[in-house]
Amino acid sequence: MRNIKKLHKAEYRPIGDLKTWSPMPSRDLQMLDPFLFLNHHGPQTYDANNPGLPFGPHPHRGMETVTFIIEGDITHKDTGGHTSVIKAGGVQWMTAGSGLLHAEVSSEEFKKNGGDLEILQLWVNLPQRLKMMQPQYKGLQKKQISVWENEEKSVKAQVVSGNFKGIRGAFDTPTSVDLAVVDFNANTSVELEIPRDETIFFYVISGELRVNDILVPALHLAEFSNNSEILYIKASIKSKLLIGHAKPLNENVVFGGPFVMNSEDEIRQAYDDFHSGKMGSWD
């Protein structure tokens, strides 16, 4: 079975009054190629007449953002002309490509009434050949996303991209990335087969999971070796998992704040293009 090399506990990095946990990048783990970054906001409850999420207009280039709305909602707007309000259980996938500005804030309804909020955002790298592709965005509500269930309906996977045990994901993406959110009832299990040459992204959102006899608690990211295809996952209590896998790009990666490119020169160009308005302007 696939060995776990190391467990990485998410670091607590609040953004104002927004509770935020981040397992990557950290002092111990820069990235899991091609997975670059994860922020886990909440869970927390907002009072009525709250300011909502703080992510006003900001740029991106060279990567993709995948946002999982566990509770609450997100109002999305970008300079590519895309707008949406995605509610609990929904997912939004933005391919920044050559660059755009976007904002991710709470809906007016959520700010007025308050409520529970829990959101995860994952960054996925784009290969060099796609860094400057046309930006894309798609947001789907819960009911629009494919689901796999075991016979007992005690393990349920929301299949976001790629496939999960034969069920095709709801998003068609420019790269081959498999992503799913899996809910486990207590005392349930599932066995997965993941190609040996692919990187696994395995983050326990809540509860705890035993993976090939290693316990992975909530708010921990498991880093795997490439010795086998088999993952046997068992839940003794109700648990939620974000799991993904993809072939590593094996390319040079340079972070420049909201930009992810292959060289420092490309990062400088991204900032020049942003400041000159080539990524669009905000009304």
Side-chain angles (χ1 to χ4, degrees):
M1 292 188 292
R2 193 95 156 211
N3 292 335
I4 291 179
K5 293 167 63 176
K6 191 172 183 179
L7 296 181
H8 301 272
K9 183 177 181 180
E11 298 176 357
Y12 185 54
R13 302 173 187 164
I15 302 171
D17 64 354
L18 178 62
K19 295 179 180 178
T20 301
W21 299 86
S22 182
M24 187 180 76
S26 68
R27 288 164 289 187
D28 298 327
L29 183 65
Q30 182 65 18
M31 61 180 288
L32 289 171
D33 187 13
F35 304 101
L36 300 170
F37 167 100
L38 179 70
N39 263 355
H40 178 182
H41 306 297
Q44 66 192 94
T45 302
Y46 276 74
D47 294 332
N49 302 312
N50 66 80
L53 292 168
F55 306 115
H58 58 281
H60 285 297
R61 171 180 281 181
M63 33 67 80
E64 303 185 277
T65 65
V66 190
T67 309
F68 307 85
I69 299 91
I70 309 299
E71 296 288 350
D73 65 28
I74 283 186
T75 296
H76 171 96
K77 180 182 177 182
D78 65 47
T79 50
H82 308 106
T83 60
S84 68
V85 178
I86 304 299
K87 298 188 176 183
V91 177
Q92 54 182 27
W93 193 302
M94 187 183 80
T95 303
S98 59
L100 78 176
L101 279 67
H102 78 148
E104 298 163 303
V105 297
S106 300
S107 69
E108 293 302 318
E109 180 184 3
F110 185 87
K111 288 189 286 187
K112 178 182 177 181
N113 298 325
D116 295 335
L117 182 140
E118 186 173 13
I119 291 169
L120 287 83
Q121 185 170 94
L122 175 69
W123 292 12
V124 181
N125 201 11
L126 284 171
Q128 187 172 24
R129 64 184 176 84
L130 296 177
K131 290 284 189 189
M132 297 298 287
M133 68 176 285
Q134 182 75 20
Q136 300 176 359
Y137 170 82
K138 188 176 184 179
L140 295 177
Q141 307 292 356
K142 179 179 179 178
K143 65 182 180 180
Q144 298 174 289
I145 299 175
S146 316
V147 173
W148 172 89
E149 292 180 317
N150 63 356
E151 289 185 7
E152 300 78 17
K153 300 188 184 301
S154 57
V155 181
K156 182 182 293 187
Q158 189 181 45
V159 190
V160 176
S161 65
N163 75 81
F164 188 97
K165 297 182 81 68
I167 299 297
R168 184 180 175 183
F171 289 86
D172 292 321
T173 64
T175 57
S176 297
V177 177
D178 293 62
L179 282 172
V181 177
V182 189
D183 285 289
F184 296 81
N185 288 350
N187 302 312
T188 56
S189 63
V190 69
E191 184 174 299
L192 301 178
E193 187 171 334
I194 296 173
R196 191 178 302 204
D197 62 348
E198 295 194 2
T199 302
I200 296 175
F201 188 89
F202 189 104
Y203 178 73
V204 180
I205 299 169
S206 61
E208 61 181 31
L209 295 168
R210 191 168 289 276
V211 188
N212 298 349
D213 291 329
I214 301 295
L215 185 67
V216 186
L219 307 179
H220 281 71
L221 180 69
E223 181 182 3
F224 287 86
S225 63
N226 295 86
N227 65 305
S228 172
E229 295 85 11
I230 303 301
L231 262 66
Y232 182 71
I233 307 168
K234 185 175 182 179
S236 57
I237 61 175
K238 186 177 175 65
S239 303
K240 186 183 291 285
L241 168 70
L242 172 59
I243 187 166
H245 57 94
K247 287 187 177 181
L249 300 179
N250 296 316
E251 296 180 354
N252 195 42
V253 177
V254 181
F255 287 88
F259 308 128
V260 184
M261 302 301 289
N262 299 104
S263 70
E264 294 288 353
D265 284 344
E266 289 172 334
I267 293 293
R268 283 191 287 270
Q269 186 63 56
Y271 274 103
D272 288 346
D273 290 348
F274 164 55
H275 291 302
S276 67
K278 291 183 179 178
M279 297 183 189
S281 59
W282 205 259
D283 295 332

